[in-house]
Amino acid sequence: MAAPHKTLCPYCGVGCGLEVVPQRPSDDPTLPQRWQTRGDRAHPSSQGMVCVKGATVAESIDQDRLLYPMLRESLDAPFERVSWEVALDQITHRIRDVLEDLGPDGVYMYGSGQFQTEDYYVAQKLIKGCLGTNNFDANSRLCMSSAVSGYLQSLGSDGPPCCYEDLDLTDCAFLIGTNTAECHPIVFNRLRKHHKRNPHVKLIVVDPRRTETAQVADLHLAIRPGTDITLLNGIGHLLLRWGALDQGFIHQSTQGFADYTDVLRHYEPSIVAERCGIAEADLETAARTWAKSQSVLSLWSMGLNQSSEGTAKVCSLISLHLLTGQIGKPGAGPFSLTGQPNAMGGREAGGLAHILPGYRLVKNPQHRQEVEQFWGLPEGQISPTRGLTIGEMIPALEHDQVGLLWIAATNPAVSLPDLNRTKAALQRSPFTVYQDAYYPTETAAYAHLLLPAAQWGEKTGTMTNSERTVTLCQAFRPPVGEARADWEVFAEVGRRLGFADQFQFATSADVHREFVQITQGRLCDMTGISHEQLATSPIQWPCPTQETADTAADTAPDKHNKRLYTDHHFAYPDGRARFMPYHEKGLAEPADDRYPFVLTTGRLYGHWHTQTRTGRIAKIQKMHPQPFLEMHPRDAERLQLADQDWVEVRSARGTARLPVLVTKNIRPGTLFVPMHWGSLWAEDAECNALTHPEACPISLQPELKACAVQVVPLSPPDQSQSLAQVEERTALPVAMVPHNPVKSSEPETHSSGVLSSS
Ligand code: SF4
């Protein structure tokens, strides 16, 4: 029997190792080969564990695939199949025209944490290097850019300092703004096992909802949405008052302590408890647990990051670690859990509008020069101006400043805030290229040119998970139809634009070989990693070659369980971490008389983002058949609503119609809606029709977690109509009609141009 193919789960940033095996060898060549996934016991990060998403991912691989390039004149016209030659010509001609009319900043690419690192790297070389615009942003902007800027401000560089072994070693896990049990389930399983086996280990969860994570906590602090900084400063205040500090660490390894304590003085426990809506005794218990624990590990994800003060929240959390010296040692540290499977690789490859490969910054002239030299480009070729974030791209489209929009492996027509405005802006784009594995998606409705992308399992490349472990994702079958790897498309466009020298890659291993060289001497040094070595085992960075070993933060000989900053020498030039004191500003859009509820958004265990894959998997559809609105019984009673009654939720920007789920698991005055349902999967249930685009001024990550809404009960006829629509959709999860019918010019092909398993 052939050895299984080793790869990585393509969903979340936990990065579980998978083995893929043919399910049933078929002698009938007309039947598609089926595949099955199972946990890879040899993978150091997950040790054989997978959640339902990883276990079922292979079921989506042949569902509704886009097979060929498709082109249309306008958004009203049907797509026509075209050759790659025509498609690539279209792109290069259009780019040349835009460069002439609008300059380099008229081109915009929006990528994805679904990219492999090789895809990210080649895209940066094309857009930031060869075209000379930093207009590349990724959906990681919506997910973890506040973690990036928080690490950068506090520690001097991006890069989570912890590893998963810390989950087994901590005395106190402090989970804030993360429903880890549902969103990062394998991390949570590991932590929960440790918690169960060791009664002295404490689990504190901070979340306005009593999530599955909160339900097993020793202490659940159900704070009012947006009061995280007050809580964190309140804990800091008590630690300071009790003298529960690591004076030696503060003295030797930090700066800014005096300013920080000036801020903490304002956070008396009674004030904090009142603002956060929690008991003063609970605040004290949290602080006391932090003070008494030998090791404190904090975990966070979107609950802190997706905020108009996301960077301030992350820095406030890291400051508690600096105050108590809880960093750079086993079981301790501030650990950001990444959403996308390769958002970390994106950060390493420079895949956001303000960064360059190797944890470099666009604004730093030396960094730009280093990258220009490395890429063989003239000095000054990389623009000193940071690119537009995806949030800033929307007004740029509105003002006709974007001539070519290239979207790949992401679905902004569901995932961006203020969705009605977003869709109207996408409608204005003069030419949109949409590169994806699936069709239909909601964003395909706004595309002029569709490019079929090889997806998970059809291309070989690397991904980095939350604990900095790099895994080789091995292809186990050829791409469907004419699909191509994203990096191959970017490289081909680069060559056609006259940059043949820059894109001489024959394989993704060539791309990777070049990429790791640009990380030499940086915190994320990966010069000791190659595809060949990764074929044996995943490797955690930093992993420098012998020659660069002395530049890395941790040169332990073992290939796993490395922590950053074990010598308490941080990434600032003076080696000191910074206390970054912040006062709380509160929500960008608090509740008021007109919109009296705060709506928060989040994820469910089975679904992934906008359902592009999971919506096509029957088991997951069955687990989560429809969207809903969580509401506290007190609010439901006031509005005379019962469980399953339908309501219209309204914000200043849009509406959504949802059935109510009455539950005590949410605070009165706060509502929750899952973010997975776009217009393909439910009618009028998009949570982002309600959310606003206000973003953190530092990370520019939007506040997708909170907006002000009102709730209007729907009359019974409206309710029955809505219910019928949902039942119909639930029965036929993948048999949906594309937004715009696809017309094939070649009769022998599947008439819709997409491969369906049905
Ligand atoms: Fe995949 Fe994340 Fe589940 Fe692991 S925890 S199997 S990476 S979705």
Side-chain angles (χ1 to χ4, degrees):
M1 198 178 183
H5 300 268
K6 300 239 180 189
T7 184
L8 196 74
C9 173
Y11 285 116
C12 87
V14 175
C16 298
L18 294 182
E19 290 183 342
V20 185
V21 285
Q23 198 178 19
R24 180 168 26 85
S26 169
D27 294 332
D28 181 351
T30 62
L31 288 178
Q33 172 68 60
R34 290 186 175 275
W35 303 89
Q36 198 168 35
T37 52
R38 62 186 185 215
D40 175 6
R41 285 174 187 273
H43 196 287
S45 296
S46 52
Q47 301 163 5
M49 291 186 288
V50 282
C51 74
V52 69
K53 292 192 282 289
T56 57
V57 61
E59 291 172 35
S60 69
I61 198 163
D62 282 325
Q63 306 272 13
D64 298 343
R65 293 294 303 273
L66 178 65
L67 297 177
Y68 312 109
M70 300 275 176
L71 182 66
R72 61 180 169 181
E73 284 296 313
S74 68
L75 297 188
D76 306 328
F79 282 111
E80 302 268 359
R81 178 180 171 183
V82 293
S83 65
W84 270 102
E85 194 58 30
V86 169
L88 292 164
D89 263 3
Q90 277 285 329
I91 297 174
T92 47
H93 283 141
R94 297 246 174 200
I95 288 178
R96 284 205 179 95
D97 289 349
V98 172
L99 292 177
E100 216 170 289
D101 295 345
L102 296 169
D105 290 342
V107 177
Y108 194 97
M109 184 180 280
Y110 185 47
S112 165
Q114 292 282 325
F115 277 174
Q116 293 174 341
T117 303
E118 291 78 357
D119 303 319
Y120 262 120
Y121 177 70
V122 178
Q124 303 320 300
K125 201 172 185 181
L126 173 66
I127 301 291
K128 294 177 181 170
C130 299
L131 297 185
T133 173
N134 293 311
N135 278 348
F136 177 100
D137 215 25
N139 55 10
S140 313
R141 178 71 58 190
L142 311 177
C143 178
M144 35 62 16
S145 55
S146 295
V148 174
S149 51
Y151 279 136
L152 199 61
Q153 282 205 347
S154 297
L155 307 179
S157 171
D158 185 17
C162 311
C163 59
Y164 292 156
E165 192 192 46
D166 293 324
L167 301 163
D168 308 329
L169 298 174
T170 192
D171 289 336
C172 170
F174 184 82
L175 276 55
I176 178 165
T178 168
N179 180 8
T180 322
E182 290 198 71
C183 303
H184 297 92
I186 299 308
V187 156
F188 190 73
N189 280 1
R190 190 161 169 178
L191 178 63
R192 181 74 178 120
K193 241 184 238 171
H194 174 60
H195 179 227
K196 269 187 181 165
R197 281 185 194 148
N198 299 283
H200 78 280
V201 172
K202 297 298 173 219
L203 179 59
I204 301 173
V205 174
V206 183
D207 198 310
R209 295 171 65 218
R210 192 167 176 272
T211 59
E212 288 198 16
T213 313
Q215 284 169 26
V216 295
D218 298 295
L219 177 65
H220 173 209
L221 299 171
I223 61 169
R224 285 197 183 93
T227 60
D228 311 72
I229 293 175
T230 294
L231 177 81
L232 295 166
N233 285 349
I235 292 173
H237 178 102
L238 286 169
L239 295 172
L240 194 64
R241 182 189 286 181
W242 298 332
L245 319 175
D246 187 334
Q247 295 282 11
F249 175 86
I250 293 168
H251 181 67
Q252 283 168 18
S253 304
T254 68
Q255 264 194 27
F257 179 61
D259 289 345
Y260 181 52
T261 55
D262 276 352
V263 166
L264 293 188
R265 275 192 296 107
H266 298 275
Y267 291 82
E268 285 284 340
S270 57
I271 297 171
V272 171
E274 201 272 326
R275 270 196 223 155
C276 294
I278 58 172
E280 203 174 318
D282 286 347
L283 171 68
E284 195 163 321
T285 303
R288 189 71 69 191
T289 309
W290 192 301
K292 283 196 318 201
S293 300
Q294 292 297 308
S295 52
V296 182
L297 180 70
S298 61
L299 302 172
W300 82 92
S301 51
M302 307 324 149
L304 289 198
N305 293 339
Q306 289 180 335
S307 162
S308 57
E309 46 185 356
T311 307
K313 287 181 179 177
V314 171
C315 288
S316 301
L317 178 61
I318 297 176
S319 287
L320 288 182
H321 285 271
L322 301 180
L323 195 64
T324 50
Q326 293 287 0
I327 189 167
K329 63 179 190 178
F335 199 173
S336 139
L337 295 174
T338 327
Q340 291 267 4
N342 196 34
M344 285 284 290
R347 285 143 81 166
E348 294 149 14
L352 287 167
H354 64 294
I355 58 177
L356 293 170
Y359 277 6
R360 290 177 174 88
L361 299 171
V362 162
K363 291 253 162 145
N364 184 317
Q366 192 189 327
H367 289 179
R368 292 197 304 276
Q369 200 182 33
E370 286 166 3
V371 176
E372 285 160 358
Q373 271 176 9
F374 186 83
W375 283 344
L377 295 168
E379 196 175 331
Q381 174 68 18
I382 296 177
S383 168
T385 312
R386 86 161 162 77
L388 299 179
T389 66
I390 185 62
E392 293 166 333
M393 196 275 294
I394 299 301
L397 275 175
E398 289 169 346
H399 294 104
D400 301 326
Q401 290 161 352
V402 177
L404 183 134
L405 172 63
W406 192 341
I407 302 168
T410 186
N411 197 6
V414 183
S415 55
L416 291 185
D418 198 358
L419 209 49
N420 294 334
R421 180 181 171 187
T422 295
K423 288 177 181 176
L426 289 173
Q427 196 97 28
R428 287 180 66 90
S429 169
F431 192 73
T432 298
V433 182
Y434 184 53
Q435 189 166 318
D436 205 283
Y438 292 94
Y439 183 90
T441 71
E442 289 83 349
T443 302
Y446 300 90
H448 300 87
L449 176 62
L450 299 175
L451 297 180
Q455 67 142 328
W456 174 83
E458 297 167 351
K459 60 180 186 179
T460 294
T462 56
M463 289 197 175
T464 309
N465 71 8
S466 291
E467 64 160 352
R468 294 172 279 106
T469 294
V470 184
T471 300
L472 185 67
C473 311
Q474 297 181 3
F476 53 84
R477 66 177 212 167
V480 297
E482 294 181 2
R484 293 186 183 182
D486 296 290
W487 73 264
E488 289 182 55
V489 181
F490 304 147
E492 182 57 26
V493 169
R495 285 189 288 266
R496 285 168 184 245
L497 287 170
F499 297 95
D501 287 349
Q502 276 73 22
F503 299 102
Q504 290 184 349
F505 312 114
T507 65
S508 63
D510 293 344
V511 178
H512 188 261
R513 211 169 291 121
E514 178 179 307
F515 160 67
V516 295
Q517 292 309 315
I518 208 170
T519 67
Q520 183 168 23
R522 308 293 301 164
L523 185 71
C524 59
D525 195 326
M526 283 177 259
T527 44
I529 302 180
S530 67
H531 275 208
E532 293 73 26
Q533 285 164 303
L534 290 169
T536 317
S537 170
I539 301 173
Q540 198 180 26
W541 65 254
C543 183
T545 54
Q546 272 319 96
E547 304 86 70
T548 57
D550 55 348
T551 62
D554 185 335
T555 56
D558 65 314
K559 288 190 178 156
H560 214 73
N561 298 327
K562 286 180 192 163
R563 293 169 188 90
L564 302 180
Y565 312 124
T566 49
D567 57 359
H568 292 171
H569 187 91
F570 294 92
Y572 273 107
D574 63 5
R576 290 169 175 269
R578 303 291 195 265
F579 284 103
M580 298 299 299
Y582 284 99
H583 284 295
E584 180 173 295
K585 291 203 179 108
L587 297 175
E589 188 181 74
D592 59 18
D593 289 348
R594 181 148 184 228
Y595 298 106
F597 291 97
V598 173
L599 178 80
T600 185
T601 65
R603 286 136 226 272
L604 304 175
Y605 171 63
H607 272 311
W608 176 252
H609 284 197
T610 62
Q611 301 195 46
T612 310
R613 277 199 192 98
T614 55
R616 294 170 162 111
I617 296 173
K619 183 174 181 184
I620 293 177
Q621 273 290 338
K622 213 168 158 190
M623 281 172 80
H624 307 297
Q626 68 178 70
F628 54 85
L629 179 79
E630 278 188 6
M631 180 182 279
H632 191 273
R634 211 184 299 164
D635 293 326
E637 194 184 341
R638 203 159 41 81
L639 292 169
Q640 299 184 325
L641 288 166
D643 212 35
Q644 294 301 314
D645 280 355
W646 281 72
V647 295
E648 183 164 285
V649 188
R650 296 175 183 167
S651 77
R653 294 154 295 278
T655 61
R657 290 180 169 210
L658 298 155
V660 170
L661 176 65
V662 179
T663 172
K664 284 186 178 162
N665 288 341
I666 194 154
R667 290 179 61 92
T670 303
L671 307 169
F672 168 81
V673 66
M675 53 78 74
H676 306 291
W677 276 267
S679 59
L680 256 177
W681 305 100
E683 200 154 324
D684 204 5
E686 298 156 308
C687 75
N688 284 325
L690 304 163
T691 54
H692 63 74
E694 288 302 313
C696 166
I698 301 159
S699 69
L700 301 170
Q701 177 161 357
E703 190 163 79
L704 289 157
K705 277 285 175 194
C707 65
V709 298
Q710 58 178 240
V711 175
V712 180
L714 289 176
S715 58
D718 287 339
Q719 293 191 20
S720 57
Q721 191 190 3
S722 297
L723 194 59
Q725 285 162 351
V726 165
E727 280 168 355
E728 200 176 305
R729 282 191 301 270
T730 309
L732 292 168
V734 295
M736 281 180 248
V737 180
H739 296 274
N740 297 288
V742 176
K743 199 175 84 184
S744 171
S745 55
E746 300 214 358
E748 74 272 16
T749 62
H750 188 290
S751 66
S752 70
V754 298
L755 177 66
S756 169
S757 64
S758 55

